[in-house]
Each structure stands twice: as C-alpha cells, then as structure tokens.
C-alpha cells in the first residue's frame, strides 16, 4: 500500500499544472460526482420508497409554517412532545447537564441514574421511585404556554392528536382529553398491581394518598407492589400507541415536535411516519432528530434535515417551547387569545387550590374543635 501511495505521489508531481484545465477538470469531476449521486439517490429512492416528497412550505421558516396552518391545506396537526414543554412549570427534564433529572439523583444511591425507571430494579427497590414521585407528583404544577397552545389547536379543530412522552398529566390539566392524547410513556392517571395474576386497578387519588403517606403502595388483594401506569425501561409501550399511529401519521398535514431529544425509541421514530411531503416543525433549545450520515448523504430517510442543500420541509425554531409557541401564535394572530387563555386557566387552578385548602383547613378544624378558617387566613 505504501509503494502504491509513493508511486501516485511521484506521478502527481510530474503532472504539469495546466491553468484553466484544472478548473475545468474540477468542475467536470464535481458534475460527474453529482450525476453519480443523483443516480444513487434515484436508485435508493426507487428501491426503498424514500424519495423526497412535494415541497409544501415556500420557505423553511416559522412564518411559512404559520401560513401553512392558516391555509386550507392544513387540517390535521400532530404534536410530539417531551419533557422540555414542562420545564417552565418547574418540572426538570431528564438529560440537561446539571439541571436534568438524571443529573440530580445522587441522594437515592442508585447504581446508575436510569435505574430509577428500570422495572426490574423497581420491583426489588421501589423506595427511590416513590420518593421521587413525592417531589414530582402531578397536581403540584400548572400547564405551560405550550400546553395551552396545543389546547388552542384542539379548540380550532386542527389538533389530530398529541403524542406525549410525559407522565406529568399536564396535557390533561390544560384541557386535552383521553381521545386527544397518546401518553406513549404512560401516566399517573391510573395504577395497577404488578402481579400478572392480579393486575387490580387503582385510582390516581388512591395512589396519591399512598405516596404522600410515605407508604410503599401495596395491592389490597394480593399484597404485591402497585405501580402507576407509567412505562418503565423493560416494559412495553401501550398497545394504543401502535394502533393509533398507523391511522394518524399518514394523514398528518403538519408535525410539530417540541421539547424532546428524540433519543428514546420507538417514540423518536414517529417523525418518519408522516408522508414525505408533510412539513415538520421542531421547537426546541437545540436541533435534534437529524438524519444518520448515510441517509442524510442521499437526502432521504425519516430523520430531520434542517441544513443540507436538499432540505425542503423541516424547520427548526431554537428557543424555549413557550417562547416558540408564543412566537407562532403571534404569526397566526392568536397571541392575545393564547395569553388570555393562560391567564384565565391559571387563575382557575389557583381558585380551585384555594377551595381545596379551605376544605382541608375546615376538616382539620372540625377534628380539633377549632373555628373553621379560610385558606387565605392561614397565609
């Protein structure tokens, strides 16, 4: 091999540098390369059925996405969301260095951070998970601008479905219903006994009482552990995830991806389920979900393509999810409506919390014989 390289170097040294011809040769080589690449791209596209689709957006910007939403061509929007849409509510995401959940689990003495969501580890050592659940339990946080933007899409008849990786139930609190949601990684909404022979179901209120009493939830029928219906590593995703995606994604007119690293499968692969002409908008702090090298090289495949010269449908808006949704709402002419919705719904949550405090305070007063009090009198 070294002799061949040496011989080639000598030949190149003896070759005259012909001005003009070298440029033409370079151009010819580039043209030849383009032709060969076009051939390979066409071959792979025909063979694998991965050819680029129709260009729907007139430019790859948030403005163009807004125009598409307002057109009569956009009637079925799917949202794919992850932990990043809830961070402004005070719930940490999983992977952010320093602030993410996995970076702050040292106090639980886990063998590795992900163990807290490993089903085999949970069955032997449930205490760390339930201690964490007390800190992050649903009902202690308010939905964000992003959650209410999705509710607005629903109200306007544009939301086909929200596919969520989150277990905080904030989509439900914001007003999305069971039919609007695919909670891909499960939910605290219900719980079940882990025994395959029992599988008794328990309510969210029952599980909450168990968690905040610092008891390890046990089935009152068989004595086995009871686990919220969230999907741990080592468990299957809900069957509805697989059946519904086959119906939803082929007819999607716009895919909006928010607050997810697109690192966990099979959720991440959903981006490739839409048609090749369907625009895809990423609202995130950084670009993610981009094509693997081989597929990106040939300008096809399911991964996101924001920057190549073949990019034609993927838009990246780099910001917090709330800021991105508010920017899109402003372009759509919905900003004031969204701001009013957030203000109104947050006030309603606060009012309900005050009523709950009143009820708890009065129950406490009756048990001690003290005068009933209002929640604001205790502050």
């Amino acid at each position: 091999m070294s002799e061949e390289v040496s011989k080639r170097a000598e030949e190149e040294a003896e070759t005259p540098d012909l001005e003009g011809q070298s440029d033409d040769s370079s151009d010819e080589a580039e043209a030849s390369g383009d032709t060969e690449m076009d051939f390979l791209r066409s071959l792979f596209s025909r063979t694998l059925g991965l050819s680029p689709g129709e260009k729907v957006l007139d430019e790859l910007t948030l403005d163009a996405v807004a125009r598409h939403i307002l057109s009569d061509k956009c009637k079925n929007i799917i949202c794919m969301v992850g932990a990043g849409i809830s961070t402004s509510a005070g719930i940490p995401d999983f992977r952010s260095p320093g602030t993410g959940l996995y970076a702050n689990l040292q106090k639980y003495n886990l063998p590795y951070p992900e163990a807290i969501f490993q089903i085999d580890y949970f069955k032997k050592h449930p205490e760390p998970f339930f201690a964490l659940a007390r800190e992050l339990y649903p009902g202690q946080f308010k939905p964000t601008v992003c959650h209410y933007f999705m509710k607005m899409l629903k109200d306007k008849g544009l939301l086909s479905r929200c596919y969520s990786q989150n277990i905080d139930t904030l989509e439900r609190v914001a007003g999305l219903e069971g039919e609007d949601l695919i909670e891909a990684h499960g939910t605290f909404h219900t719980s079940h006994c882990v025994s395959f022979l029992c599988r008794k179901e328990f309510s969210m209120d029952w599980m909450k009482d168990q968690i905040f009493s610092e008891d390890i939830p046990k089935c009152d029928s068989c004595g086995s552990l009871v686990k919220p219906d969230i999907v741990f590593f080592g468990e299957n995703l809900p069957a509805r995830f697989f059946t519904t995606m086959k119906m939803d994604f082929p007819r999607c007119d716009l895919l909006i991806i928010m607050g997810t690293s697109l690192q966990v499968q099979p959720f991440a692969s959903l981006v490739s389920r839409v048609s090749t002409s369907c625009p895809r908008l990423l609202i995130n702090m950084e670009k993610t979900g981009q094509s693997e090298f081989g597929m990106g090289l040939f300008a096809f495949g399911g991964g996101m393509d924001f920057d190549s010269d073949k990019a034609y449908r993927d838009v990246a808006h780099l910001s917090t999810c709330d800021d991105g949704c508010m920017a899109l709402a402003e372009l759509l002419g919905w900003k004031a409506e969204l701001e009013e919705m957030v203000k109104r719904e947050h006030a309603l949550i606060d009012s309900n919390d005050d009523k709950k405090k009143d009820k708890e305070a009065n129950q406490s007063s009756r048990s001690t014989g003290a005068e009933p009090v209002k929640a604001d009198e205790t502050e």
Side-chain angles (χ1 to χ4, degrees), residues 30-274:
E30 289 178 10
S32 176
D34 288 343
T35 301
E36 291 173 1
M37 187 63 73
D38 288 340
F39 170 76
L40 288 172
R41 186 180 297 121
S42 176
L43 174 64
F44 275 78
S45 297
R46 290 196 307 269
T47 304
L48 302 179
L50 295 172
S51 57
E54 174 191 358
K55 185 176 180 180
V56 173
L57 302 179
D58 52 16
E59 59 182 5
L60 299 181
T61 64
L62 196 65
D63 299 73
V65 172
R67 290 194 292 272
H68 177 57
I69 293 174
L70 294 174
S71 74
D72 58 2
K73 296 180 179 179
C74 188
K75 299 177 181 178
N76 294 293
I77 297 175
I78 292 177
C79 294
M80 287 176 59
V81 300
I85 73 167
S86 296
T87 53
S88 64
I91 302 173
D93 64 10
F94 287 90
R95 293 178 172 80
S96 291
T99 60
L101 185 62
Y102 288 152
N104 291 279
L105 296 176
Q106 298 90 344
K107 59 186 175 183
Y108 299 118
N109 298 315
L110 300 167
Y112 48 93
E114 292 84 356
I116 202 165
F117 294 117
Q118 287 277 1
I119 188 61
D120 291 337
Y121 185 85
F122 170 80
K123 289 179 178 178
K124 296 176 182 177
H125 308 284
E127 297 83 5
F129 169 76
F130 285 115
L132 178 66
R134 277 193 292 277
E135 295 183 36
L136 302 179
Y137 199 81
Q140 305 179 75
F141 307 95
K142 297 175 186 175
T144 66
V145 168
C146 186
H147 290 98
Y148 288 116
F149 179 78
M150 292 190 292
K151 174 59 163 60
M152 183 173 290
L153 289 177
K154 174 190 173 176
D155 292 345
K156 294 181 181 295
L158 294 171
L159 182 69
S160 174
R161 204 95 61 187
C162 170
Y163 283 71
S164 177
Q165 292 176 286
N166 299 336
I167 58 175
D168 53 39
T169 74
L170 288 181
E171 296 92 355
R172 291 176 181 266
V173 178
L176 298 188
E177 299 175 354
E179 186 60 27
D180 306 315
L181 279 169
I182 298 295
E183 291 159 318
H185 294 169
T187 177
F188 272 94
H189 198 63
T190 54
S191 301
H192 280 85
C193 172
V194 300
S195 171
F196 289 111
L197 299 176
C198 179
R199 299 298 295 162
K200 182 175 179 179
E201 181 174 315
F202 295 84
S203 70
M204 186 173 178
D205 288 339
W206 181 90
M207 178 56 74
K208 182 177 181 180
D209 289 342
Q210 297 294 306
I211 288 176
F212 283 96
S213 66
E214 300 191 16
D215 292 331
I216 299 300
K218 295 289 183 69
C219 178
D220 54 15
S221 293
C222 72
S224 298
L225 283 170
V226 177
K227 182 182 77 66
D229 290 342
I230 63 174
V231 179
F232 279 37
F233 295 116
E235 292 187 303
N236 294 325
L237 270 63
R240 186 166 171 258
F241 171 86
F242 298 99
T243 56
T244 309
M245 72 178 185
K246 295 177 182 178
M247 175 181 65
D248 288 345
F249 282 80
R251 61 190 185 95
C252 178
D253 300 316
L254 173 65
L255 181 63
I256 303 179
I257 305 148
M258 299 183 282
T260 172
S261 63
L262 291 177
Q263 292 184 16
V264 179
Q265 297 292 354
F267 187 88
S269 67
L270 292 178
V271 299
S272 66
R273 290 274 177 175
V274 295

Side-chain angles (χ1 to χ4, degrees), residues 325-373:
C325 286
M326 193 61 77
L328 182 54
E330 183 170 18
L331 292 170
L332 291 166
W334 302 349
K335 183 178 180 181
E337 184 181 354
L338 180 57
E339 289 175 333
E340 176 57 31
M341 175 184 284
V342 174
K343 181 179 179 181
R344 181 181 68 248
E345 294 300 320
H346 280 186
L348 182 60
I349 291 172
D350 289 338
S351 175
N352 290 336
D353 285 345
D354 287 343
K355 291 177 182 177
K356 185 176 180 181
K357 289 178 182 179
D358 283 343
K359 182 178 180 180
E360 291 173 351
N362 288 331
Q363 287 176 341
S364 176
S365 297
R366 284 195 295 270
S367 65
T368 60
E371 288 292 326
V373 295

Side-chain angles (χ1 to χ4, degrees), residues 84 93 95-97 257-263 281-290 304 306-307 315-321:
D93 64 10
R95 293 178 172 80
S96 291
I257 305 148
M258 299 183 282
T260 172
S261 63
L262 291 177
Q263 292 184 16
L281 168 65
L282 174 71
I283 300 177
N284 205 39
M285 293 298 290
E286 59 185 8
K287 294 176 182 177
T288 188
Q290 287 149 296
M304 311 291 285
F306 303 110
D307 302 312
V315 177
H317 183 81
L318 302 185
S319 72
T320 66
C321 295

